[in-house]
Amino acid sequence: MREVRVDLGQDRSYRVIIGSGILWQLGRLTKDIKGQPKIMLISNPLVFDLYGAKAVDSLRGAGLTVNIALMPDGEEYKNLEQLQLMLDEAARVGLERSSVIIALGGGVVGDLAGFTASIYQRGIAFIQVPTTLLAQVDSSVGGKTAVNHPRGKNLIGTFHQPALVLIDTATLDTLREEEFRAGLGEVVKYGIILDQNLFQLLEKEAQGLLKREAEVVQEVVYRCVRIKSQIVAQDEKEAGLRMILNFGHTFAHSIEKLGHYKEIKHGQAVAIGTLMASILARNMGKIDSTQLSRIVHLFRCLGVSLKVPDYPAQMIYEGMLNDKKVKDEGLRIIVPQGIGGYDIIYNPAPDSIIEAIREAKDYPYGCRYEALND
Ligand SMILES: NC(=O)c1ccc[n+]([C@@H]2O[C@H](COP(=O)([O-])OP(=O)(O)OC[C@H]3O[C@@H](n4cnc5c(N)ncnc54)[C@H](O)[C@@H]3O)[C@@H](O)[C@H]2O)c1
Ligand SMILES: [Zn+2]
């Protein structure tokens, strides 16, 4: 079992506990931090069928009262209507200021449950039990909560840090292959810009990771959480530093939007965005061709497709400008500086971005990838 502490001062620091097969400890850990709270556990039917009994048994075994609230499975349910239903349920079962909401599921459940906890009675305690790779290495740590609005993804939300994050990496065994690989997009992201050792570990253990070997998965998740928590501790509300975690994301968001959030998974779009930003970096002399090849090769070994969807480069670029923050503050692109370092490019020349997108579309490995891995 490993542990990371998210250091946010006396009131809001919390533990992230990482291990394989540790879900049964949820009850004891909840009691350790909150005493004897009433619990509302939020999940979806798929995840609850797999892990609900274990989580609930552990909580009840520790003498806690547990209410269960399920939301339908899918990003389209991360909305205000479901938020309202969760608040209704919280009120109906009589959650109090001392109560705890637990999220058991991926990023969708985590974001909605966290939002519910952050506004019910002006904010009650919240525990994350993430069960997807993306949620374990990214969304469960850092306190961002949100629901989508017809006019924008994650348009409505709050910052509300969890009181505890319990990561049972064994839950990843049941994750669909495409979900697992999409999560790897975020994992590689950390390695490229922030941790050369993680990047090397991924190169060395790619096969074990793909086979989801317990030791390898646990180590990789631990390293990612450690990076994320360090960044969050320094810049909780994304006033500056935290934005570097958006590496690859400016490209990715545009690609996801062009596909109406249906054609491509977020993590996969991030991998493609990462390739585009890395090509830009190579063109600017911030990484060399060998380093770019290593990045592409790693994605390939991890079975992450880099095939760019068939949208014109110009459209992808225009989509990147179509963001409120970009309109206010100008475009900022995070690029790698060597492996394990980063730089921020402010207001890059349009042609340089369009060229990087075009090159990513033509990148030989990107195109041949699927044939190689099938
Ligand atoms: N709050 C943040 O900081 C943050 C960061 C990144 C992403 N997000 C959000 O996270 C969401 C995406 O999260 P996600 O990728 O986890 O998607 P998800 O929550 O939709 O989960 C993906 C699928 O896997 C299923 N699933 C979950 N755990 C499983 C398991 N152990 N075994 C089998 N199936 C399982 C889910 O039911 C779902 O069908 C997006 O809404 C995104 O905006 C938030
Ligand atoms: Zn992401």
Side-chain angles (χ1 to χ4, degrees):
M1 208 159 82
R2 315 291 296 261
E3 181 170 335
V4 174
R5 191 169 174 77
V6 185
D7 198 355
L8 292 166
Q10 219 173 9
D11 291 347
R12 285 172 309 111
S13 292
Y14 55 95
R15 300 162 74 191
V16 184
I17 297 172
I18 303 150
S20 180
I22 60 170
L23 185 54
W24 63 274
Q25 300 191 34
L26 178 62
R28 178 183 63 78
L29 290 164
T30 303
K31 266 184 93 165
D32 279 356
I33 52 165
K34 286 289 158 194
Q36 201 68 31
K38 189 183 265 190
I39 309 267
M40 182 161 103
L41 181 124
I42 301 181
S43 190
N44 71 34
L46 193 163
V47 178
F48 193 79
D49 272 358
L50 290 164
Y51 304 108
K54 202 174 256 179
V56 171
D57 284 354
S58 169
L59 292 161
R60 291 198 176 135
L64 301 170
T65 308
V66 187
N67 301 281
I68 295 152
L70 300 186
M71 62 180 287
D73 189 3
E75 178 76 37
E76 64 272 36
Y77 296 102
K78 202 179 94 173
N79 60 25
L80 283 170
E81 194 188 334
Q82 287 298 322
L83 178 72
Q84 169 88 55
L85 289 172
M86 290 302 151
L87 291 167
D88 290 348
E89 190 57 15
R92 191 186 71 77
V93 302
L95 290 199
E96 301 151 2
R97 297 234 45 201
S98 60
S99 300
V100 174
I101 289 181
I102 299 181
L104 175 70
V108 167
V109 166
D111 276 12
L112 187 91
F115 197 0
T116 309
S118 77
I119 56 175
Y120 182 75
Q121 294 201 2
R122 299 198 180 85
I124 65 170
F126 170 52
I127 292 177
Q128 287 268 22
V129 186
T131 62
T132 63
L133 184 57
L134 179 132
Q136 295 190 351
V137 300
D138 191 356
S139 64
S140 65
V141 175
K144 280 191 189 175
T145 85
V147 294
N148 301 323
H149 182 274
R151 285 190 178 274
K153 209 172 170 251
N154 296 328
L155 204 60
I156 309 162
T158 56
F159 279 99
H160 187 59
Q161 298 292 343
L164 170 76
V165 183
L166 176 79
I167 300 183
D168 183 347
T169 49
T171 59
L172 301 181
D173 290 348
T174 51
L175 200 60
R176 286 191 298 268
E177 190 60 32
E178 60 187 90
E179 296 290 353
F180 188 77
R181 291 188 190 198
L184 290 173
E186 305 279 3
V187 169
V188 176
K189 170 190 89 174
Y190 290 119
I192 299 174
I193 53 163
L194 285 159
D195 189 345
Q196 190 181 4
N197 293 333
L198 171 62
F199 192 90
Q200 282 165 356
L201 177 80
L202 295 170
E203 288 181 320
K204 191 161 149 261
E205 301 288 354
Q207 283 308 311
L209 185 56
L210 258 188
K211 288 190 207 132
R212 306 186 203 179
E213 285 169 10
E215 286 291 311
V216 181
V217 173
Q218 190 180 312
E219 182 64 22
V220 167
V221 170
Y222 165 71
R223 298 232 200 162
C224 293
V225 167
R226 202 173 54 181
I227 296 171
K228 173 118 192 213
S229 63
Q230 281 164 358
I231 303 270
V232 168
Q234 290 174 68
D235 179 23
E236 184 183 2
K237 302 255 166 92
E238 202 166 322
L241 180 69
R242 191 167 171 175
M243 81 170 177
I244 63 174
L245 297 178
N246 278 333
F247 173 46
H249 281 62
T250 318
F251 294 96
H253 289 151
S254 173
I255 292 168
E256 286 179 273
K257 194 158 187 214
L258 285 167
H260 305 283
Y261 299 100
K262 288 201 174 74
E263 278 166 33
I264 188 157
K265 293 209 167 296
H266 173 71
Q268 200 200 327
V270 168
I272 293 166
T274 299
L275 171 65
M276 291 169 174
S278 301
I279 290 174
L280 178 68
R282 195 267 326 263
N283 292 350
M284 297 179 83
K286 296 191 178 290
I287 59 172
D288 60 30
S289 295
T290 313
Q291 289 165 325
L292 178 60
S293 300
R294 267 178 79 191
I295 292 170
V296 172
H297 186 70
L298 177 57
F299 277 121
R300 207 172 104 199
C301 292
L302 291 171
V304 180
S305 171
L306 294 172
K307 189 168 184 312
V308 183
D310 220 6
Y311 315 127
Q314 180 76 30
M315 265 172 91
I316 297 178
Y317 174 66
E318 279 164 16
M320 292 165 70
L321 303 177
N322 223 344
D323 172 290
K324 192 181 169 300
K325 218 168 168 184
V326 173
K327 281 181 184 151
D328 291 350
E329 297 169 22
L331 188 60
R332 284 180 297 207
I333 303 288
I334 317 299
V335 293
Q337 172 97 52
I339 301 274
Y342 67 88
D343 197 4
I344 305 171
I345 312 293
Y346 295 88
N347 296 309
D351 286 352
S352 68
I353 301 291
I354 293 168
E355 175 58 25
I357 298 172
R358 287 214 178 101
E359 277 190 59
K361 281 167 164 281
D362 293 338
Y363 205 88
Y365 293 134
C367 302
R368 288 214 316 265
Y369 156 75
E370 249 132 4
L372 283 165
N373 270 277
D374 282 348

